[in-house]
Amino acid sequence: NQGKSYGLSAHDLPSARGHGTPLTGKISCDQGGVFTDILLGKPETQVLLGTSRGYGFITTLEKMETKNKNGKALLTLNSNLDKILRANIIPKTEGALLAMVSKQGNLLIIDVSEIPHLARGKGNKLINISKKDFEKKEDCLKNWIVVYKDYSLILHAGKRFSRYKYKELLDLKMSRALKGKSLPKGYRAVTKLEVEMPKGGVAEDLDDDLDNDMDENNDINKNLDKNLDKNLDDEIVQIKPDNKKGDTNFKKDLFDD
């Protein structure tokens, strides 16, 4: 919650049940600091970051990673009023939309392609939040979520909810840095945003990418097995001639190493 990022290698974390190992031995968080997100992915994985003031940008996990135990300055916060919004991982940018809802009940839909790509900083204004209203705590960017092509947006307001199909979101789409469109009465106090996955939409493309990665890993493992078998055969062939001298411990010597 202080705009810093910390890096840990996933293979260094314990694989066991329970609460896990305390991270205080690996990283040093400032007093009062709270972790808002835990992200896992490839170095090139894109991540959307931003604050309740309405500013944000896209970066990658590679640019967020650091070996410094004290962390890395990543997201600029102007004051204690700025709150870090939940990070959004963006596996696919083509056709992706960003849905933002303000505290006053305005909905703004923009193209993800309008968001700048930066290594760190404050980012660009994504939704227009009045400075006066923000400082009076009367308005802020309350929630946001990335909606992929053919997905639907579900907007919750207490027990009520409203569903917007992807085509409807395209009709509502505006340019960034605008105030957005006022939601209908009864839906302005938004409590949660979520997306609904279609059948045969972007999810299939993401599954294909995952399958390709698994196929590549399987090919690598097969090659490693072949090389290991070949190396082991070579070692046995090299040792066999010594056995002609009556050395009965050649197998034992091989595995002792």
Side-chain angles (χ1 to χ4, degrees):
N1 64 343
Q2 296 171 339
K4 285 186 175 184
S5 65
Y6 299 82
L8 291 173
S9 298
H11 65 271
D12 289 336
L13 299 176
S15 56
R17 296 181 179 180
H19 295 291
T21 302
L23 298 180
T24 51
K26 299 178 180 294
I27 58 178
S28 179
C29 186
D30 296 336
Q31 186 175 5
V34 177
F35 295 104
T36 58
D37 287 285
I38 298 177
L39 306 173
L40 178 68
K42 297 179 179 179
E44 64 272 18
T45 299
Q46 296 187 94
V47 183
L48 172 64
L49 302 173
T51 66
S52 57
R53 193 178 287 268
Y55 287 76
F57 61 93
I58 294 174
T59 187
T60 62
L61 288 181
E62 184 177 24
K63 293 175 182 177
M64 296 173 66
E65 197 276 336
T66 177
K67 294 181 180 180
N68 190 341
K69 189 176 180 180
N70 294 321
K72 172 183 179 180
L74 178 68
L75 193 59
T76 301
L77 305 177
N78 289 348
S79 70
N80 293 332
L81 295 176
D82 291 301
K83 305 299 179 184
I84 298 176
L85 297 178
R86 184 174 183 179
N88 278 257
I89 288 182
I90 309 176
K92 296 282 186 179
T93 57
E94 183 180 358
L97 303 172
L98 176 61
M100 296 176 282
V101 175
S102 70
K103 185 177 180 179
Q104 293 183 354
N106 293 316
L107 172 66
L108 179 63
I109 308 293
I110 67 170
D111 266 318
V112 167
S113 59
E114 287 196 69
I115 305 172
H117 290 249
L118 302 172
R120 65 178 69 183
K122 179 181 177 180
N124 286 6
K125 181 184 287 188
L126 303 182
I127 185 172
N128 186 12
I129 301 293
S130 167
K131 182 178 179 181
K132 182 179 179 181
D133 290 343
F134 182 78
E135 292 177 349
K136 288 183 177 181
K137 299 183 180 181
E138 294 178 355
D139 197 16
C140 67
L141 176 52
K142 188 176 181 180
N143 207 337
W144 65 358
I145 196 168
V146 176
V147 185
Y148 302 101
K149 188 177 180 181
D150 297 326
Y151 277 51
S152 297
L153 170 68
I154 301 179
L155 186 151
H156 294 265
K159 295 182 179 180
R160 296 184 176 185
F161 71 91
S162 179
R163 180 181 286 101
Y164 294 86
K165 294 183 178 180
Y166 183 78
K167 292 182 179 179
E168 294 174 322
L169 295 176
L170 290 177
D171 293 335
L172 295 172
K173 187 177 67 173
M174 300 180 180
S175 300
R176 69 170 182 84
L178 297 178
K179 199 172 185 66
K181 183 179 180 180
S182 181
L183 289 167
K185 289 183 179 180
Y187 293 92
R188 293 174 186 172
V190 177
T191 53
K192 184 173 69 171
L193 295 176
E194 61 179 343
V195 292
E196 186 176 57
M197 186 186 303
K199 292 183 178 180
V202 177
E204 284 192 350
D205 297 335
L206 300 181
D207 289 341
D208 290 342
D209 291 342
L210 184 59
D211 290 339
N212 291 335
D213 291 340
M214 293 178 65
D215 292 339
E216 290 178 3
N217 290 334
N218 290 334
D219 292 339
I220 292 173
N221 290 334
K222 288 179 182 178
N223 292 332
L224 289 175
D225 291 339
K226 290 180 181 178
N227 293 335
L228 181 61
D229 293 339
K230 183 178 182 301
N231 292 337
L232 187 59
D233 291 340
D234 291 342
E235 291 187 42
I236 293 176
V237 170
Q238 292 172 5
I239 292 174
K240 277 185 177 179
D242 294 334
N243 193 38
K244 293 180 181 180
K245 299 178 182 180
D247 184 4
T248 58
N249 296 321
F250 75 97
K251 289 185 178 179
K252 180 177 182 299
D253 294 338
L254 174 62
F255 294 103
D256 282 346
D257 292 338

